[in-house]
């Protein structure tokens, strides 16, 4: 079902809703295309005409700093026209349904919606409602998926560490509530990472987490032993109903990434975090701002990755820079 919604009969990406089931060929094509867009961001004139005349609407029903802004920058660098709907000032506050809001924006000849929503499944619901020439990118739906974050994370890992089949990767923290964790796990498994671990207290791990193809650890130092990549996850207080955590001080003591705990990983291990970070809860500032952190490069790469996804969905593939058959 998902695959049919995302990939058309000709094998072309038509929406991006989840990384579950997305073929490695498509993921690699996105990463390779993003690589060619990195150069655009380093030019004095950071613009290419690929999406001239196309209209992109950013529809964010949840707060965002990185995703919303980098989608806007990415669309503008591709020369698209971009509208950011101010949801709090829109007619959704007067009771208009999500699908009615989308239908009205679609009637204004939107070509691509970028949607963030607190409900898992919202992106699929809207994609099913759209006509074939209107496209959607999921910018995060509930606990379900954040596919462009997953893509920019694997792009960052490939740039800094090379081949996935040689890498041991650990995701640390609130796996239970994290759409980023789900998308990262799906992308890393599809790309054939050597070993994939999750490290968290049992209360922050989904039941039967092994079925996702990961090795669970509750001991931070054991889980970090000899890994190449440490992917920290935000504690998602807004999605927690009930007591999943001991005190914040106790959580930081046991699971907060400090320079001392990072000693268990390989000496050249890199540290990622999707943001926003809770400093002093899941990560210490000495690590977040330290030499092994690639947290700000992740944000920069996010622009190129989002340009690649938009260009592949909306642009002619033959026009993409650096395209390989
Ligand atoms: N990583 C991420 O999704 O950040 P924002 O919530 O700021 O978009």
């Amino acid at each position: 079902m998902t695959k049919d919604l995302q990939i058309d009969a000709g094998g072309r990406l038509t929406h991006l809703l989840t990384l579950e089931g997305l073929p490695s060929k498509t993921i690699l094509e996105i990463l390779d295309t993003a690589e060619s867009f990195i150069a655009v961001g380093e030019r004095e004139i950071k613009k290419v005409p690929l999406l001239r005349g196309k209209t992109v609407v950013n529809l964010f029903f949840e707060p965002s700093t990185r995703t919303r802004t980098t989608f806007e920058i990415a669309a503008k660098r591709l020369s698209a026209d971009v509208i950011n709907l101010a949801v709090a000032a829109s007619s959704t506050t007067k009771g208009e349904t999500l699908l009615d809001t989308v239908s009205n924006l679609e009637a204004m000849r939107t070509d691509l919606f970028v949607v963030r929503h607190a409900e898992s499944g919202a992106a699929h619901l809207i994609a099913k409602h759209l006509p074939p020439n209107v496209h959607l990118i999921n910018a995060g739906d509930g606990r379900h998926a954040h596919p462009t974050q997953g893509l920019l994370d694997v792009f960052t890992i490939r740039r800094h560490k090379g081949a996935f089949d040689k890498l041991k990767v650990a995701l640390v923290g609130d796996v239970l509530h994290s759409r980023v964790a789900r998308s990262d796990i799906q992308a890393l498994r599809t790309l054939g990472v050597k070993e994939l671990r999750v490290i968290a207290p049992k209360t922050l791990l989904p039941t039967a987490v092994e079925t996702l193809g990961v090795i669970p650890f509750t001991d931070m130092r054991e889980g970090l032993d000899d890994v190449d990549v440490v992917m920290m996850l935000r504690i998602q207080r807004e999605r927690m109903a009930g007591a999943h955590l001991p005190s914040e001080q106790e959580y930081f003591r046991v699971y907060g990434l400090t320079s001392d705990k990072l000693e268990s990983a390989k000496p050249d291990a890199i540290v990622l975090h999707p943001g926003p970070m809770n400093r002093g809860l899941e990560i210490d500032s000495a690590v977040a701002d330290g030499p092994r952190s690639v947290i700000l490069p992740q944000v920069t790469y996010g622009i190129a990755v989002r340009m690649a996804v938009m260009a592949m969905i909306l642009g002619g593939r033959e026009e993409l820079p650096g395209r390989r058959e």
Side-chain angles (χ1 to χ4, degrees):
M1 169 73 102
T2 295
K3 192 172 178 202
D4 294 346
L5 263 182
Q6 296 198 118
I7 309 265
D8 70 14
R12 189 189 163 107
L13 194 63
T14 183
H15 303 294
L16 181 65
L17 307 174
T18 171
L19 299 184
E20 187 178 10
L22 201 68
S24 58
K25 177 176 174 289
T26 308
I27 294 180
L28 289 170
E29 189 180 351
I30 293 168
L31 302 189
D32 291 344
T33 306
E35 203 63 61
S36 64
F37 283 131
I38 289 284
V40 175
E42 285 160 7
R43 289 186 204 154
E44 198 174 328
I45 311 268
K46 301 175 182 57
K47 233 174 171 65
V48 289
L50 275 172
L51 298 189
R52 197 162 45 200
K54 301 287 186 186
T55 301
V56 175
V57 172
N58 274 333
L59 200 47
F60 278 58
F61 294 91
E62 262 194 345
S64 170
T65 297
R66 282 145 288 269
T67 312
R68 199 203 62 71
T69 312
T70 54
F71 263 114
E72 180 174 354
I73 292 171
K76 286 180 171 168
R77 286 191 185 167
L78 292 167
S79 306
D81 297 313
V82 188
I83 309 298
N84 296 300
L85 187 76
V87 171
S90 76
S91 291
T92 54
T93 58
K94 301 178 198 164
E96 187 171 70
T97 67
L98 175 62
L99 292 182
D100 278 339
T101 299
V102 169
S103 294
N104 279 273
L105 293 165
E106 195 248 306
M108 300 172 201
R109 298 293 175 258
T110 297
D111 296 291
L112 173 69
F113 289 97
V114 178
V115 180
R116 171 170 288 190
H117 202 283
E119 293 296 325
S120 298
H124 282 73
L125 178 79
I126 299 170
K128 279 193 245 173
H129 173 80
L130 293 173
N133 60 336
V134 183
H135 307 275
L136 185 143
I137 299 174
N138 182 5
D141 63 327
R143 296 184 193 188
H144 173 243
H146 193 348
T148 57
Q149 181 71 46
L151 290 167
L152 78 87
D153 288 346
V154 292
F155 181 87
T156 304
I157 292 171
R158 190 175 79 161
R159 273 212 138 202
H160 288 264
K161 302 303 296 179
F164 292 99
D165 63 356
K166 301 202 170 24
L167 298 179
K168 291 185 195 172
V169 177
L171 280 105
V172 186
D174 188 359
V175 181
L176 181 65
H177 301 100
S178 176
R179 55 195 177 205
V180 174
R182 262 162 270 285
S183 290
D184 282 344
I185 290 168
Q186 287 154 1
L188 287 163
R189 296 257 301 138
T190 301
L191 295 171
V193 76
K194 182 176 170 189
E195 193 175 307
L196 188 49
R197 307 174 183 180
V198 291
I199 308 170
K202 283 207 171 92
T203 50
L204 292 180
L205 287 175
T207 47
V209 69
E210 297 89 344
T211 59
L212 300 176
V214 298
I215 307 169
F217 288 83
T218 51
D219 185 283
M220 181 86 163
R221 288 177 201 276
E222 277 178 26
L224 289 179
D225 182 46
D226 201 38
V227 299
D228 302 277
V229 178
V230 185
M231 304 178 80
M232 299 306 297
L233 299 169
R234 181 172 69 85
I235 291 290
Q236 313 234 331
R237 294 187 186 94
E238 76 278 19
R239 293 188 219 285
M240 287 184 190
H244 292 265
L245 287 183
S247 71
E248 296 197 345
Q249 291 90 333
E250 182 63 6
Y251 182 84
F252 180 69
R253 189 183 68 76
V254 181
Y255 292 103
L257 187 64
T258 56
S259 304
D260 181 46
K261 293 196 193 93
L262 190 55
E263 289 289 306
S264 299
K266 287 204 175 125
D268 62 347
I270 55 169
V271 176
L272 291 84
H273 191 304
M277 284 186 284
N278 294 303
R279 290 172 185 260
L281 177 55
E282 69 251 0
I283 192 164
D284 191 36
S285 286
V287 177
D289 305 327
R292 310 226 220 142
S293 169
V294 291
I295 294 169
L296 290 178
Q298 280 177 272
V299 179
T300 307
Y301 300 150
I303 298 172
V305 169
R306 289 172 173 132
M307 286 173 81
V309 174
M310 286 194 275
M312 281 172 60
I313 289 176
L314 279 184
R317 286 192 169 199
E318 58 289 348
E319 295 169 19
L320 294 178
R323 175 163 165 70
R324 292 200 295 253
E325 283 309 324

